[in-house]
Amino acid sequence: MAELLPTIKSPEDLTGFNAAQLDQLAVEIREVLCNLVATRTAHFASNLGVVELCIALHRTFDFTQDRLIWDTGHQVYPHKLVTGRYDQFNTMRTKGGLMGYPNPHESEYDLFMTGHAGASVSTVMGLASGDFLNGNSDRHSVAVIGDGAFPSGMVFEALNNAKVLNGNLLIILNDNKMSICPRVGGVADYFDRLRMNPFYTGFKNEVVKALNMVPVFGDPTERFLAQLKEGVKAGLHGGMLFEELGINYIGPIDGHNIQLLRKYLEMVKTQKGPTLLHVVTEKGHGYDPAAEDPVYYHTPPVLRKSEDCGEAPKTSGGSKAYTNYARDAIADVMRKNQSVTIMTAAMCQGTKMEPLRDEFGDRFFDTGICESHTVAFAAGQAKAGLRPIVNIYSTFLQRSFDQVFQEVALQDLPVVFTMDRAGITAADGPTHHGMYDIGYMRLFPNMIVMAPGDADELTEMVSFAVSVDHPTAIRYPKTNAENIARDRQPIELGKAEVLKRGSDGAVICYGTQLAEAKKAVELLAKDGIDVTLVNARFAKPIDSETILPILKESPFVVTVEEAALMTGFGSALLETANEAGIDASHVKRLGIADLFVQHGDRAEILAELQLDSLGIAQVCRELAAAHDEISSQH
Ligand SMILES: Cc1ncc(C[n+]2csc(CCOP(=O)(O)OP(=O)(O)O)c2C)c(N)n1
Ligand SMILES: CC(=O)[C@@H](O)[C@H](O)COP(=O)(O)O
Ligand SMILES: [Mg+2]
């Protein structure tokens, strides 16, 4: 059969496809996904698992009118392939190319740019409500949400609200038994029990037979649906949790059978009020290694191309990342201090915490994708006398802004926040760069906010943080760690470290761009520009005793941080200078301006932001030249 996928310019092209062609399309989509991960790292197993669901959805609904939101958005690749982006697919996650998440700038079929889990049910409800009020109540609104994302508090807030909705709402629970790691918690157990439902295990076959006799369109469908639901309600009790919340529950059904999916989708289309369709899929479906090890294949390293798909080298290789240093430092303090606990919100794999899960058993907590709960839970533990470490990516911790304020900072509780992926996260893009944590942490009284200049300093900071009787936050990026050879000064609360003194200007670095700042200072020395280099270490309390005299004496000052300038370290410095009545008009802040940084290569993005050695040196040269010019005029 001729290839189908290249011919699809929009989902409308699926209209004429018969069952065999739709099945062939699924095969072709998987091939394209395989080819992609043979060239770069990308989300893989989740995408393999939703191929049939995606085809069935686009074959059943018209999403130029109807609404579709893929929760989180990491499983959106098949959707991109059938919505006119096949030709650009090889640009996926590269600079200027397709984003690895839904992106309204790319397509009318992507309604929200998303990357954080749990919002889909709320946003789809808003769309349905808006459509109803605008007189477009014939539009259908569909949220596809994974079993990992489902326990997010926001989903339950939306379910609580769903009953009052006038519009058409379909929630598709994509249950593949996995988050990134195996899903955990009571909701996961509930889904497991639903899978035991005879509707899915045995009676399902009868249902399938019956369904095959039902035409896809017309009244018989409605009649059948009514009978089916009564059957489920009366005899099988599946999904009573949802039913009691006023949400029709249907399923579970096989999510890899396009025809079956289509029949159910056609049926639920006629359903009034909120409906939850429970679809069972296999994460990694269609490529055995991914189905067998969906954790590794969630975002695998580049696969070696082989005939059936690809084969990944299981060694990670390369030097140690900051993530590993943090993990080892946490393990160390946990061994020494029995009151230290560790928490992850479903990111055990990305934060490399699996060994801690194995070693520390009951002091290790995976709360699921529930960051708000995690922080409040940690606050409770701290109040009970424990020393919780909350290890969450900078971007995801934003989900807990108010818990950081109310439950932690306001109570002045000794919770340690280790914020991984603080800074540019590269291929994931604007949804995932950790840009705002300096601001959202230093805002609150009692909070101690720090960033290590290198790997060993991260280790020291973790140990320092658990010894402090206040909330503390440590940020570090997603990159290989460096160490800067020097006579290390021990970590002391609110003390910066001066690495070098110079008379022509000063570079004050907050965080791990310190190695680049040091290189810049060395480059400048070659040009005869003698610059002070400071490792700030603390954004709060800021070391005014060390830094303000440098500000006064230096012809120019450059602050360096891998974070949003607004509310960041440089801004903290300006505030401190202002309060001390010191002129800071000669301070130039390097960091991220008031914009969303797009996806791309980390080194390339940092270079564009002038956060690498060449950029920092260049800015210093310009400031030195401007200062010389002004001096020569006087
Ligand atoms: C708020 C938030 N926390 C954590 C993550 C990281 N994350 C991305 S996908 C994922 C697992 C999602 O599981 P599920 O929804 O079941 O999708 P699957 O990958 O199984 O298809 C996690 C934890 C995120 N994107 N957003
Ligand atoms: C979809 C999602 O949010 C995660 O899969 C994220 O892409 C993980 O990032 P890392 O690869 O940096 O762990
Ligand atoms: Mg899942």
Side-chain angles (χ1 to χ4, degrees), residues 95 591 597-598 602-612:
K95 186 170 186 276
V597 176
Q598 300 306 308
R602 176 176 162 80
E604 219 175 314
I605 295 172
L606 288 174
E608 270 175 21
L609 296 168
Q610 294 191 295
L611 286 172
D612 64 349

Side-chain angles (χ1 to χ4, degrees), residues 28-45 47-48 74 76-78 80-81 85-86 88-94 98-100 298-305 309-310:
E28 290 180 26
I29 290 175
R30 288 203 170 86
E31 254 172 50
V32 174
L33 295 176
C34 282
N35 288 338
L36 179 72
V37 290
T39 63
R40 74 199 61 141
T41 72
H43 290 104
F44 187 42
N47 281 294
L48 288 171
H74 62 304
V76 81
Y77 298 9
K80 292 204 178 197
L81 284 167
R85 286 168 273 183
Y86 169 82
Q88 299 146 272
F89 202 70
N90 62 359
T91 68
M92 176 66 81
R93 280 166 56 103
T94 60
L98 292 181
M99 191 177 172
H298 180 78
T299 325
V302 182
L303 302 193
R304 266 190 251 114
K305 187 111 174 65
C309 187

Side-chain angles (χ1 to χ4, degrees), residues 396-417:
F396 301 145
L397 192 57
Q398 285 157 200
R399 291 282 206 228
S400 330
F401 179 71
D402 193 55
Q403 287 73 21
V404 171
F405 156 51
Q406 191 95 167
E407 275 66 41
V408 177
L410 188 58
Q411 324 296 327
D412 198 8
L413 287 167
V415 175
V416 177
F417 295 95

Side-chain angles (χ1 to χ4, degrees), residues 43 45-47 49-50 71-75 101 115-118 144-152 154 173-181 183 281 283 298 345-348 368-371 392-393 395-397 399 432:
H43 290 104
S46 312
N47 281 294
V50 296
D71 197 274
T72 315
H74 62 304
Q75 76 293 57
Y101 297 95
H116 287 196
V144 181
I145 180 162
D147 50 340
F150 204 95
S152 308
M154 211 192 318
L173 166 62
N174 172 30
D175 178 4
N176 58 16
K177 280 184 89 72
M178 295 297 295
S179 185
I180 293 178
C181 292
R183 55 166 158 70
T281 61
K283 191 160 173 171
H298 180 78
M347 295 307 283
C348 184
I369 309 179
C370 300
E371 290 83 3
I392 294 184
Y393 288 10
T395 188
F396 301 145
L397 192 57
R399 291 282 206 228
H432 281 66

Side-chain angles (χ1 to χ4, degrees), residues 28-194:
E28 290 180 26
I29 290 175
R30 288 203 170 86
E31 254 172 50
V32 174
L33 295 176
C34 282
N35 288 338
L36 179 72
V37 290
T39 63
R40 74 199 61 141
T41 72
H43 290 104
F44 187 42
S46 312
N47 281 294
L48 288 171
V50 296
V51 172
E52 287 81 11
L53 179 58
C54 173
I55 293 172
L57 277 167
H58 280 288
R59 181 70 183 78
T60 310
F61 292 89
D62 169 11
F63 291 114
T64 60
Q65 293 305 307
D66 298 329
R67 318 295 206 155
L68 173 62
I69 296 195
W70 296 90
D71 197 274
T72 315
H74 62 304
Q75 76 293 57
V76 81
Y77 298 9
H79 164 88
K80 292 204 178 197
L81 284 167
V82 299
T83 53
R85 286 168 273 183
Y86 169 82
D87 290 338
Q88 299 146 272
F89 202 70
N90 62 359
T91 68
M92 176 66 81
R93 280 166 56 103
T94 60
K95 186 170 186 276
L98 292 181
M99 191 177 172
Y101 297 95
N103 182 355
H105 303 297
E106 286 174 13
S107 167
E108 64 171 321
Y109 291 97
D110 297 2
L111 294 175
F112 281 78
M113 183 183 284
T114 58
H116 287 196
S120 64
V121 183
S122 301
T123 48
V124 137
M125 273 176 63
L127 287 162
S129 165
D131 288 339
F132 177 79
L133 290 175
N134 289 330
N136 295 320
S137 50
D138 50 338
R139 283 179 154 178
H140 298 272
S141 292
V142 184
V144 181
I145 180 162
D147 50 340
F150 204 95
S152 308
M154 211 192 318
V155 175
F156 284 84
E157 292 173 30
L159 294 181
N160 180 50
N161 201 209
K163 204 176 166 179
V164 300
L165 191 74
N166 287 312
N168 296 318
L169 175 68
L170 171 61
I171 303 162
I172 297 183
L173 166 62
N174 172 30
D175 178 4
N176 58 16
K177 280 184 89 72
M178 295 297 295
S179 185
I180 293 178
C181 292
R183 55 166 158 70
V184 290
V187 175
D189 293 347
Y190 181 63
F191 291 161
D192 282 341
R193 282 200 298 281
L194 289 179

Side-chain angles (χ1 to χ4, degrees), residues 517-595:
K518 184 165 180 285
K519 279 184 219 156
V521 168
E522 286 159 6
L523 288 173
L524 291 165
K526 287 185 190 154
D527 297 348
I529 304 171
D530 186 19
V531 171
T532 294
L533 177 62
V534 180
N535 172 19
R537 286 181 170 171
F538 290 84
K540 187 179 180 182
I542 206 162
D543 186 356
S544 44
E545 205 179 283
T546 303
I547 293 175
L548 291 183
I550 292 173
L551 220 63
K552 273 193 199 162
E553 290 153 15
S554 304
F556 69 83
V557 173
V558 173
T559 62
V560 178
E561 61 194 307
E562 200 182 322
L565 286 175
M566 213 182 283
T567 75
F569 169 77
S571 297
L573 188 69
L574 294 183
E575 289 161 17
T576 310
N578 182 271
E579 271 163 35
I582 292 172
D583 174 40
S585 56
H586 60 316
V587 176
K588 166 83 184 161
R589 294 169 304 149
L590 287 182
I592 301 166
D594 187 16
L595 50 84

